[in-house]
Tab-separated table of all heavy atoms in Angstrom:
chain	number	residue	atom	x	y	z
A	1	MET	N	-73.171	12.306	-84.355
A	1	MET	CA	-72.657	13.592	-84.901
A	1	MET	C	-71.134	13.430	-85.136
A	1	MET	O	-70.372	12.839	-84.394
A	1	MET	CB	-72.908	14.666	-83.904
A	1	MET	CG	-74.334	15.030	-83.826
A	1	MET	SD	-74.924	16.029	-85.120
A	1	MET	CE	-74.716	17.643	-84.542
A	2	LYS	N	-70.652	14.104	-86.219
A	2	LYS	CA	-69.216	14.023	-86.479
A	2	LYS	C	-68.604	15.441	-86.418
A	2	LYS	O	-69.357	16.437	-86.709
A	2	LYS	CB	-68.993	13.395	-87.934
A	2	LYS	CG	-69.315	11.998	-87.896
A	2	LYS	CD	-68.919	11.335	-89.235
A	2	LYS	CE	-67.503	10.989	-89.250
A	2	LYS	NZ	-67.164	10.113	-90.427
A	3	ILE	N	-67.393	15.554	-86.154
A	3	ILE	CA	-66.613	16.738	-86.093
A	3	ILE	C	-65.744	16.911	-87.416
A	3	ILE	O	-65.062	15.971	-87.720
A	3	ILE	CB	-65.598	16.773	-84.930
A	3	ILE	CG1	-66.382	16.451	-83.626
A	3	ILE	CG2	-64.909	18.096	-84.835
A	3	ILE	CD1	-65.448	16.121	-82.492
A	4	LEU	N	-65.956	17.997	-88.155
A	4	LEU	CA	-65.227	18.295	-89.334
A	4	LEU	C	-64.351	19.391	-89.044
A	4	LEU	O	-64.679	20.437	-88.439
A	4	LEU	CB	-66.227	18.717	-90.399
A	4	LEU	CG	-67.148	17.641	-90.951
A	4	LEU	CD1	-67.956	18.192	-92.096
A	4	LEU	CD2	-66.405	16.386	-91.380
A	5	LEU	N	-62.997	19.244	-89.477
A	5	LEU	CA	-62.042	20.260	-89.357
A	5	LEU	C	-61.598	20.756	-90.666
A	5	LEU	O	-61.167	19.934	-91.524
A	5	LEU	CB	-60.779	19.639	-88.551
A	5	LEU	CG	-59.475	20.515	-88.551
A	5	LEU	CD1	-59.712	21.779	-87.825
A	5	LEU	CD2	-58.334	19.641	-87.949
A	6	ASP	N	-61.522	22.055	-90.827
A	6	ASP	CA	-60.959	22.649	-92.072
A	6	ASP	C	-59.575	23.175	-91.676
A	6	ASP	O	-59.373	24.249	-91.089
A	6	ASP	CB	-61.877	23.855	-92.463
A	6	ASP	CG	-61.375	24.509	-93.744
A	6	ASP	OD1	-60.142	24.299	-94.103
A	6	ASP	OD2	-62.194	25.221	-94.436
A	7	ARG	N	-58.536	22.362	-92.081
A	7	ARG	CA	-57.212	22.653	-91.674
A	7	ARG	C	-56.707	23.992	-92.217
A	7	ARG	O	-55.810	24.644	-91.592
A	7	ARG	CB	-56.278	21.617	-92.130
A	7	ARG	CG	-56.509	20.337	-91.366
A	7	ARG	CD	-55.366	19.361	-91.518
A	7	ARG	NE	-55.658	18.167	-90.675
A	7	ARG	CZ	-55.445	18.143	-89.373
A	7	ARG	NH1	-54.887	19.130	-88.750
A	7	ARG	NH2	-55.783	17.078	-88.678
A	8	GLY	N	-57.327	24.468	-93.314
A	8	GLY	CA	-56.865	25.630	-93.901
A	8	GLY	C	-57.304	26.850	-93.088
A	8	GLY	O	-56.708	27.931	-93.237
A	9	LYS	N	-58.336	26.744	-92.259
A	9	LYS	CA	-58.777	27.828	-91.417
A	9	LYS	C	-58.163	27.776	-89.940
A	9	LYS	O	-58.233	28.753	-89.227
A	9	LYS	CB	-60.337	27.748	-91.244
A	9	LYS	CG	-61.056	28.151	-92.544
A	9	LYS	CD	-62.538	28.109	-92.332
A	9	LYS	CE	-63.272	28.491	-93.546
A	9	LYS	NZ	-64.803	28.357	-93.295
A	10	CYS	N	-57.731	26.582	-89.554
A	10	CYS	CA	-57.221	26.449	-88.240
A	10	CYS	C	-55.937	27.203	-88.006
A	10	CYS	O	-54.966	26.974	-88.783
A	10	CYS	CB	-57.029	24.947	-87.876
A	10	CYS	SG	-56.429	24.634	-86.200
A	11	THR	N	-55.854	28.078	-87.008
A	11	THR	CA	-54.675	28.792	-86.595
A	11	THR	C	-53.922	28.167	-85.425
A	11	THR	O	-52.814	28.627	-85.055
A	11	THR	CB	-54.958	30.234	-86.258
A	11	THR	OG1	-55.993	30.257	-85.227
A	11	THR	CG2	-55.552	31.011	-87.514
A	12	GLY	N	-54.405	27.092	-84.856
A	12	GLY	CA	-53.744	26.330	-83.862
A	12	GLY	C	-53.647	26.977	-82.524
A	12	GLY	O	-52.710	26.668	-81.700
A	13	LEU	N	-54.479	27.933	-82.218
A	13	LEU	CA	-54.337	28.593	-80.903
A	13	LEU	C	-54.882	27.725	-79.749
A	13	LEU	O	-54.614	28.089	-78.643
A	13	LEU	CB	-55.045	29.957	-80.976
A	13	LEU	CG	-54.307	30.930	-81.850
A	13	LEU	CD1	-55.078	32.257	-81.946
A	13	LEU	CD2	-52.962	31.288	-81.298
A	14	GLY	N	-55.751	26.780	-80.077
A	14	GLY	CA	-56.101	25.810	-79.085
A	14	GLY	C	-57.253	26.152	-78.151
A	14	GLY	O	-57.374	25.557	-77.043
A	15	ILE	N	-58.164	27.019	-78.563
A	15	ILE	CA	-59.288	27.298	-77.739
A	15	ILE	C	-60.129	26.018	-77.630
A	15	ILE	O	-60.620	25.716	-76.497
A	15	ILE	CB	-60.156	28.421	-78.350
A	15	ILE	CG1	-59.312	29.722	-78.311
A	15	ILE	CG2	-61.507	28.631	-77.557
A	15	ILE	CD1	-59.876	30.888	-79.047
A	16	CYS	N	-60.291	25.320	-78.697
A	16	CYS	CA	-61.086	24.079	-78.605
A	16	CYS	C	-60.381	23.099	-77.702
A	16	CYS	O	-60.999	22.396	-76.869
A	16	CYS	CB	-61.216	23.465	-80.036
A	16	CYS	SG	-59.661	23.212	-80.893
A	17	GLU	N	-59.081	23.087	-77.713
A	17	GLU	CA	-58.296	22.130	-76.839
A	17	GLU	C	-58.580	22.481	-75.345
A	17	GLU	O	-58.672	21.636	-74.536
A	17	GLU	CB	-56.885	22.200	-77.089
A	17	GLU	CG	-55.979	21.342	-76.283
A	17	GLU	CD	-54.513	21.473	-76.606
A	17	GLU	OE1	-54.095	22.617	-77.029
A	17	GLU	OE2	-53.747	20.491	-76.438
A	18	SER	N	-58.674	23.768	-75.066
A	18	SER	CA	-58.862	24.142	-73.636
A	18	SER	C	-60.220	23.710	-73.143
A	18	SER	O	-60.402	23.502	-71.892
A	18	SER	CB	-58.650	25.687	-73.487
A	18	SER	OG	-59.757	26.368	-74.135
A	19	LEU	N	-61.175	23.579	-74.032
A	19	LEU	CA	-62.607	23.172	-73.651
A	19	LEU	C	-62.727	21.654	-73.581
A	19	LEU	O	-63.490	21.164	-72.798
A	19	LEU	CB	-63.561	23.818	-74.568
A	19	LEU	CG	-63.637	25.356	-74.396
A	19	LEU	CD1	-64.493	25.957	-75.536
A	19	LEU	CD2	-64.227	25.745	-73.059
A	20	SER	N	-61.989	20.951	-74.527
A	20	SER	CA	-62.194	19.490	-74.650
A	20	SER	C	-60.764	18.938	-74.907
A	20	SER	O	-60.578	18.442	-76.109
A	20	SER	CB	-63.203	19.075	-75.699
A	20	SER	OG	-64.523	19.519	-75.373
A	21	PRO	N	-59.924	18.802	-73.942
A	21	PRO	CA	-58.565	18.475	-74.236
A	21	PRO	C	-58.368	16.985	-74.677
A	21	PRO	O	-57.307	16.654	-75.252
A	21	PRO	CB	-57.805	18.713	-72.954
A	21	PRO	CG	-58.885	18.887	-71.917
A	21	PRO	CD	-60.124	19.316	-72.625
A	22	ASP	N	-59.309	16.140	-74.331
A	22	ASP	CA	-59.116	14.730	-74.767
A	22	ASP	C	-59.600	14.469	-76.235
A	22	ASP	O	-59.343	13.476	-76.800
A	22	ASP	CB	-59.862	13.705	-73.825
A	22	ASP	CG	-61.328	13.964	-73.840
A	22	ASP	OD1	-61.779	15.125	-73.999
A	22	ASP	OD2	-62.044	13.033	-73.641
A	23	VAL	N	-60.305	15.495	-76.824
A	23	VAL	CA	-60.713	15.345	-78.213
A	23	VAL	C	-59.805	16.171	-79.146
A	23	VAL	O	-59.472	15.763	-80.225
A	23	VAL	CB	-62.196	15.763	-78.336
A	23	VAL	CG1	-62.703	15.758	-79.760
A	23	VAL	CG2	-63.105	14.770	-77.535
A	24	PHE	N	-59.552	17.383	-78.684
A	24	PHE	CA	-58.769	18.305	-79.510
A	24	PHE	C	-57.340	18.540	-78.863
A	24	PHE	O	-57.315	18.809	-77.663
A	24	PHE	CB	-59.416	19.729	-79.609
A	24	PHE	CG	-60.880	19.642	-80.093
A	24	PHE	CD1	-61.899	19.693	-79.117
A	24	PHE	CD2	-61.150	19.567	-81.423
A	24	PHE	CE1	-63.286	19.682	-79.531
A	24	PHE	CE2	-62.492	19.557	-81.830
A	24	PHE	CZ	-63.546	19.586	-80.901
A	25	GLU	N	-56.314	18.351	-79.747
A	25	GLU	CA	-54.986	18.566	-79.205
A	25	GLU	C	-54.146	19.206	-80.304
A	25	GLU	O	-54.007	18.718	-81.388
A	25	GLU	CB	-54.348	17.234	-78.753
A	25	GLU	CG	-52.896	17.536	-78.158
A	25	GLU	CD	-52.232	16.292	-77.732
A	25	GLU	OE1	-52.862	15.116	-77.831
A	25	GLU	OE2	-51.093	16.325	-77.205
A	26	VAL	N	-53.577	20.372	-79.967
A	26	VAL	CA	-52.586	21.030	-80.832
A	26	VAL	C	-51.216	20.426	-80.588
A	26	VAL	O	-50.704	20.451	-79.478
A	26	VAL	CB	-52.556	22.571	-80.560
A	26	VAL	CG1	-51.543	23.159	-81.484
A	26	VAL	CG2	-54.022	23.213	-80.716
A	27	ASP	N	-50.633	19.829	-81.671
A	27	ASP	CA	-49.356	19.171	-81.487
A	27	ASP	C	-48.212	20.251	-81.517
A	27	ASP	O	-48.380	21.432	-81.670
A	27	ASP	CB	-49.228	18.044	-82.544
A	27	ASP	CG	-48.988	18.650	-83.957
A	27	ASP	OD1	-48.747	19.763	-84.154
A	27	ASP	OD2	-49.053	17.790	-84.885
A	28	ASP	N	-46.989	19.700	-81.373
A	28	ASP	CA	-45.820	20.534	-81.231
A	28	ASP	C	-45.584	21.434	-82.473
A	28	ASP	O	-44.943	22.453	-82.425
A	28	ASP	CB	-44.560	19.788	-81.020
A	28	ASP	CG	-44.643	19.007	-79.615
A	28	ASP	OD1	-45.423	19.513	-78.784
A	28	ASP	OD2	-43.770	18.067	-79.375
A	29	ASP	N	-46.194	21.049	-83.624
A	29	ASP	CA	-46.057	21.824	-84.885
A	29	ASP	C	-47.139	22.775	-85.021
A	29	ASP	O	-47.251	23.472	-86.084
A	29	ASP	CB	-46.003	20.894	-86.049
A	29	ASP	CG	-44.793	19.977	-86.026
A	29	ASP	OD1	-43.636	20.366	-85.558
A	29	ASP	OD2	-44.915	18.779	-86.431
A	30	GLY	N	-48.037	22.880	-83.993
A	30	GLY	CA	-49.202	23.785	-84.124
A	30	GLY	C	-50.318	23.282	-84.927
A	30	GLY	O	-51.232	24.080	-85.359
A	31	ALA	N	-50.356	21.992	-85.239
A	31	ALA	CA	-51.431	21.434	-85.997
A	31	ALA	C	-52.445	20.727	-85.095
A	31	ALA	O	-52.029	20.066	-84.128
A	31	ALA	CB	-50.897	20.400	-86.985
A	32	LEU	N	-53.701	20.960	-85.337
A	32	LEU	CA	-54.691	20.381	-84.525
A	32	LEU	C	-54.877	18.910	-84.786
A	32	LEU	O	-55.035	18.555	-86.010
A	32	LEU	CB	-55.986	21.184	-84.662
A	32	LEU	CG	-57.139	20.585	-83.802
A	32	LEU	CD1	-56.932	20.852	-82.342
A	32	LEU	CD2	-58.453	21.272	-84.143
A	33	VAL	N	-54.918	18.071	-83.822
A	33	VAL	CA	-55.118	16.655	-83.944
A	33	VAL	C	-56.508	16.291	-83.229
A	33	VAL	O	-56.632	16.753	-82.087
A	33	VAL	CB	-54.008	15.770	-83.334
A	33	VAL	CG1	-54.255	14.330	-83.425
A	33	VAL	CG2	-52.689	16.171	-83.989
A	34	LEU	N	-57.348	15.589	-83.936
A	34	LEU	CA	-58.562	15.127	-83.328
A	34	LEU	C	-58.391	13.704	-82.873
A	34	LEU	O	-57.960	12.892	-83.663
A	34	LEU	CB	-59.729	15.181	-84.307
A	34	LEU	CG	-60.166	16.519	-84.954
A	34	LEU	CD1	-61.263	16.300	-85.958
A	34	LEU	CD2	-60.599	17.463	-83.791
A	35	SER	N	-58.643	13.410	-81.586
A	35	SER	CA	-58.514	12.062	-81.110
A	35	SER	C	-59.585	11.219	-81.724
A	35	SER	O	-59.427	9.987	-81.833
A	35	SER	CB	-58.512	12.004	-79.562
A	35	SER	OG	-59.804	12.380	-79.068
A	36	THR	N	-60.744	11.774	-82.082
A	36	THR	CA	-61.796	11.117	-82.733
A	36	THR	C	-62.563	12.150	-83.522
A	36	THR	O	-62.656	13.342	-83.122
A	36	THR	CB	-62.796	10.436	-81.702
A	36	THR	OG1	-63.937	9.859	-82.413
A	36	THR	CG2	-63.301	11.468	-80.692
A	37	ASP	N	-63.153	11.677	-84.644
A	37	ASP	CA	-64.047	12.709	-85.394
A	37	ASP	C	-65.546	12.356	-85.109
A	37	ASP	O	-66.422	13.040	-85.671
A	37	ASP	CB	-63.749	12.613	-86.892
A	37	ASP	CG	-64.106	11.332	-87.527
A	37	ASP	OD1	-64.458	10.399	-86.875
A	37	ASP	OD2	-64.087	11.224	-88.778
A	38	VAL	N	-65.779	11.550	-84.159
A	38	VAL	CA	-67.158	11.198	-83.787
A	38	VAL	C	-67.404	11.766	-82.387
A	38	VAL	O	-66.569	11.557	-81.522
A	38	VAL	CB	-67.387	9.702	-83.706
A	38	VAL	CG1	-68.789	9.381	-83.208
A	38	VAL	CG2	-67.203	9.079	-85.102
A	39	VAL	N	-68.428	12.549	-82.172
A	39	VAL	CA	-68.725	13.147	-80.892
A	39	VAL	C	-69.004	11.981	-79.858
A	39	VAL	O	-69.875	11.174	-80.052
A	39	VAL	CB	-69.994	14.017	-80.976
A	39	VAL	CG1	-70.360	14.605	-79.542
A	39	VAL	CG2	-69.720	15.209	-81.889
A	40	PRO	N	-68.169	11.907	-78.833
A	40	PRO	CA	-68.452	10.906	-77.819
A	40	PRO	C	-69.751	10.968	-77.166
A	40	PRO	O	-70.365	12.061	-77.014
A	40	PRO	CB	-67.328	11.109	-76.773
A	40	PRO	CG	-66.284	11.926	-77.466
A	40	PRO	CD	-67.038	12.839	-78.469
A	41	ASP	N	-70.308	9.862	-76.737
A	41	ASP	CA	-71.683	9.803	-76.133
A	41	ASP	C	-71.673	10.770	-74.927
A	41	ASP	O	-70.768	10.797	-74.126
A	41	ASP	CB	-71.917	8.335	-75.640
A	41	ASP	CG	-72.249	7.349	-76.742
A	41	ASP	OD1	-72.515	7.874	-77.882
A	41	ASP	OD2	-72.254	6.158	-76.401
A	42	GLY	N	-72.774	11.546	-74.892
A	42	GLY	CA	-73.038	12.346	-73.724
A	42	GLY	C	-72.187	13.613	-73.755
A	42	GLY	O	-72.268	14.406	-72.808
A	43	ARG	N	-71.364	13.922	-74.806
A	43	ARG	CA	-70.516	15.011	-74.824
A	43	ARG	C	-70.881	16.045	-75.809
A	43	ARG	O	-70.208	16.971	-76.204
A	43	ARG	CB	-69.109	14.501	-75.106
A	43	ARG	CG	-68.596	13.430	-74.256
A	43	ARG	CD	-67.917	13.998	-73.066
A	43	ARG	NE	-66.821	14.808	-73.409
A	43	ARG	CZ	-65.517	14.452	-73.634
A	43	ARG	NH1	-65.258	13.234	-73.650
A	43	ARG	NH2	-64.639	15.373	-73.885
A	44	LEU	N	-72.145	16.055	-76.424
A	44	LEU	CA	-72.508	16.893	-77.553
A	44	LEU	C	-72.485	18.366	-77.114
A	44	LEU	O	-71.927	19.181	-77.872
A	44	LEU	CB	-73.908	16.527	-78.103
A	44	LEU	CG	-74.320	17.458	-79.218
A	44	LEU	CD1	-73.362	17.368	-80.414
A	44	LEU	CD2	-75.766	16.987	-79.698
A	45	ALA	N	-72.965	18.686	-75.942
A	45	ALA	CA	-72.975	20.121	-75.518
A	45	ALA	C	-71.622	20.669	-75.396
A	45	ALA	O	-71.263	21.737	-75.804
A	45	ALA	CB	-73.780	20.251	-74.238
A	46	GLU	N	-70.729	19.869	-74.798
A	46	GLU	CA	-69.342	20.219	-74.573
A	46	GLU	C	-68.670	20.378	-75.953
A	46	GLU	O	-67.926	21.421	-76.123
A	46	GLU	CB	-68.598	19.170	-73.760
A	46	GLU	CG	-67.167	19.469	-73.597
A	46	GLU	CD	-66.465	18.204	-73.150
A	46	GLU	OE1	-66.973	17.326	-72.350
A	46	GLU	OE2	-65.316	18.042	-73.450
A	47	ILE	N	-68.821	19.449	-76.791
A	47	ILE	CA	-68.116	19.560	-78.140
A	47	ILE	C	-68.683	20.725	-78.912
A	47	ILE	O	-67.966	21.418	-79.604
A	47	ILE	CB	-68.292	18.247	-78.895
A	47	ILE	CG1	-67.540	17.091	-78.100
A	47	ILE	CG2	-67.552	18.355	-80.264
A	47	ILE	CD1	-66.116	17.193	-77.768
A	48	ARG	N	-70.020	20.921	-78.798
A	48	ARG	CA	-70.618	22.038	-79.496
A	48	ARG	C	-70.042	23.327	-79.086
A	48	ARG	O	-69.813	24.249	-79.861
A	48	ARG	CB	-72.136	21.961	-79.387
A	48	ARG	CG	-72.845	22.911	-80.312
A	48	ARG	CD	-74.325	23.002	-80.061
A	48	ARG	NE	-75.104	21.818	-80.225
A	48	ARG	CZ	-75.400	21.277	-81.439
A	48	ARG	NH1	-75.156	21.900	-82.474
A	48	ARG	NH2	-76.057	20.089	-81.460
A	49	ALA	N	-69.829	23.449	-77.778
A	49	ALA	CA	-69.250	24.690	-77.198
A	49	ALA	C	-67.830	24.919	-77.754
A	49	ALA	O	-67.395	26.059	-78.036
A	49	ALA	CB	-69.150	24.605	-75.654
A	50	ALA	N	-67.023	23.800	-77.853
A	50	ALA	CA	-65.658	23.905	-78.385
A	50	ALA	C	-65.746	24.344	-79.869
A	50	ALA	O	-65.009	25.242	-80.310
A	50	ALA	CB	-64.884	22.628	-78.244
A	51	VAL	N	-66.704	23.782	-80.601
A	51	VAL	CA	-66.771	24.066	-82.054
A	51	VAL	C	-67.208	25.574	-82.205
A	51	VAL	O	-66.661	26.349	-83.005
A	51	VAL	CB	-67.814	23.175	-82.775
A	51	VAL	CG1	-68.275	23.706	-84.042
A	51	VAL	CG2	-67.286	21.772	-82.872
A	52	THR	N	-68.182	26.015	-81.420
A	52	THR	CA	-68.687	27.461	-81.591
A	52	THR	C	-67.658	28.430	-81.013
A	52	THR	O	-67.708	29.586	-81.343
A	52	THR	CB	-70.013	27.599	-80.989
A	52	THR	OG1	-69.939	27.312	-79.567
A	52	THR	CG2	-71.079	26.710	-81.694
A	53	SER	N	-66.759	27.999	-80.251
A	53	SER	CA	-65.744	28.861	-79.633
A	53	SER	C	-64.603	29.159	-80.626
A	53	SER	O	-63.725	30.027	-80.323
A	53	SER	CB	-65.170	28.325	-78.359
A	53	SER	OG	-66.221	28.302	-77.382
A	54	CYS	N	-64.484	28.366	-81.634
A	54	CYS	CA	-63.365	28.501	-82.615
A	54	CYS	C	-63.502	29.807	-83.336
A	54	CYS	O	-64.496	30.104	-83.992
A	54	CYS	CB	-63.424	27.365	-83.676
A	54	CYS	SG	-62.149	27.614	-84.890
A	55	PRO	N	-62.528	30.710	-83.201
A	55	PRO	CA	-62.650	32.105	-83.731
A	55	PRO	C	-62.540	32.100	-85.276
A	55	PRO	O	-62.895	33.115	-85.864
A	55	PRO	CB	-61.500	32.801	-83.112
A	55	PRO	CG	-60.517	31.736	-82.751
A	55	PRO	CD	-61.223	30.528	-82.400
A	56	THR	N	-62.038	31.096	-85.869
A	56	THR	CA	-61.899	31.084	-87.326
A	56	THR	C	-62.869	30.158	-88.008
A	56	THR	O	-62.749	29.919	-89.235
A	56	THR	CB	-60.384	30.564	-87.671
A	56	THR	OG1	-60.265	29.221	-87.291
A	56	THR	CG2	-59.309	31.452	-87.036
A	57	GLU	N	-63.770	29.623	-87.274
A	57	GLU	CA	-64.849	28.771	-87.875
A	57	GLU	C	-64.144	27.532	-88.579
A	57	GLU	O	-64.692	27.148	-89.663
A	57	GLU	CB	-65.755	29.538	-88.734
A	57	GLU	CG	-66.537	30.616	-87.985
A	57	GLU	CD	-67.557	31.438	-88.782
A	57	GLU	OE1	-67.523	31.290	-90.023
A	57	GLU	OE2	-68.323	32.150	-88.220
A	58	ALA	N	-63.126	27.011	-88.049
A	58	ALA	CA	-62.431	25.860	-88.662
A	58	ALA	C	-63.121	24.614	-88.275
A	58	ALA	O	-62.887	23.514	-88.963
A	58	ALA	CB	-60.955	25.794	-88.158
A	59	LEU	N	-64.075	24.625	-87.362
A	59	LEU	CA	-64.708	23.357	-86.944
A	59	LEU	C	-66.213	23.463	-87.214
A	59	LEU	O	-66.818	24.540	-87.098
A	59	LEU	CB	-64.537	23.157	-85.345
A	59	LEU	CG	-63.166	22.909	-84.843
A	59	LEU	CD1	-63.094	23.071	-83.319
A	59	LEU	CD2	-62.598	21.604	-85.352
A	60	ARG	N	-66.750	22.287	-87.592
A	60	ARG	CA	-68.160	22.207	-87.825
A	60	ARG	C	-68.695	20.835	-87.234
A	60	ARG	O	-67.914	19.851	-87.247
A	60	ARG	CB	-68.530	22.232	-89.277
A	60	ARG	CG	-68.483	23.586	-89.923
A	60	ARG	CD	-69.202	23.587	-91.275
A	60	ARG	NE	-68.662	22.701	-92.292
A	60	ARG	CZ	-69.379	21.728	-92.914
A	60	ARG	NH1	-70.666	21.591	-92.665
A	60	ARG	NH2	-68.769	21.041	-93.817
A	61	LEU	N	-69.927	20.756	-86.941
A	61	LEU	CA	-70.552	19.523	-86.573
A	61	LEU	C	-71.517	19.116	-87.743
A	61	LEU	O	-72.154	19.932	-88.271
A	61	LEU	CB	-71.356	19.665	-85.245
A	61	LEU	CG	-70.589	19.758	-84.046
A	61	LEU	CD1	-71.538	19.984	-82.862
A	61	LEU	CD2	-69.725	18.530	-83.766
A	62	THR	N	-71.530	17.800	-88.052
A	62	THR	CA	-72.433	17.330	-89.082
A	62	THR	C	-73.070	16.004	-88.575
A	62	THR	O	-72.556	15.291	-87.784
A	62	THR	CB	-71.584	17.142	-90.378
A	62	THR	OG1	-72.500	16.725	-91.351
A	62	THR	CG2	-70.528	16.067	-90.130
A	63	GLU	N	-74.238	15.785	-89.180
A	63	GLU	CA	-74.946	14.531	-88.977
A	63	GLU	C	-74.152	13.346	-89.480
A	63	GLU	O	-73.337	13.537	-90.375
A	63	GLU	CB	-76.285	14.510	-89.520
A	63	GLU	CG	-77.293	15.561	-89.048
A	63	GLU	CD	-77.692	15.284	-87.595
A	63	GLU	OE1	-77.565	14.212	-87.155
A	63	GLU	OE2	-78.113	16.284	-86.888
A	64	ASP	N	-74.384	12.169	-88.975
A	64	ASP	CA	-73.822	10.843	-89.405
A	64	ASP	C	-72.450	10.660	-88.984
A	64	ASP	O	-71.808	10.886	-88.114
A	64	ASP	CB	-73.882	10.556	-90.935
A	64	ASP	CG	-72.832	11.294	-91.761
A	64	ASP	OD1	-71.633	11.023	-91.502
A	64	ASP	OD2	-73.117	12.132	-92.544
B	101	SF4	S1	-60.106	26.790	-81.742
B	101	SF4	FE1	-60.217	26.659	-84.046
B	101	SF4	S2	-58.442	27.684	-84.804
B	101	SF4	FE2	-58.127	27.219	-82.672
B	101	SF4	S3	-57.025	25.267	-82.621
B	101	SF4	FE3	-59.306	24.858	-82.437
B	101	SF4	S4	-59.977	24.477	-84.496
B	101	SF4	FE4	-57.964	25.530	-84.656
């Protein structure tokens, strides 16, 4: 599974970062940085929680 980010929708508040800080990080400019766009092994439930917690629907999960 891959993580897709729509930068136009991201407001940089960091809810995703609070749930998975090693994957999602809001930088000093308020831009979200993904450490990887591939869901790490065994972390699907956690990453899915971060994705669904995004209030602006800026994150999506996709196959492949
Ligand atoms: S929770 Fe959504 S809007 Fe907030 S930083 Fe993460 S992707 Fe951006």
Side-chain angles (χ1 to χ4, degrees):
M1 293 283 266
K2 293 186 81 172
I3 307 165
L4 296 181
L5 168 63
D6 182 340
R7 294 195 175 278
K9 291 182 176 177
C10 178
T11 56
L13 289 177
I15 295 170
C16 55
E17 180 183 31
S18 71
L19 293 168
S20 295
D22 63 327
V23 173
F24 306 99
E25 183 179 0
V26 179
D27 70 13
D28 292 343
D29 297 325
L32 180 65
V33 178
L34 299 177
S35 65
T36 176
D37 67 351
V38 177
V39 175
D41 285 348
R43 306 271 304 276
L44 181 57
E46 175 197 329
I47 300 299
R48 194 185 297 281
V51 166
T52 58
S53 295
C54 174
T56 64
E57 300 183 349
L59 296 170
R60 281 199 299 128
L61 289 177
T62 182
E63 297 290 342
D64 81 61

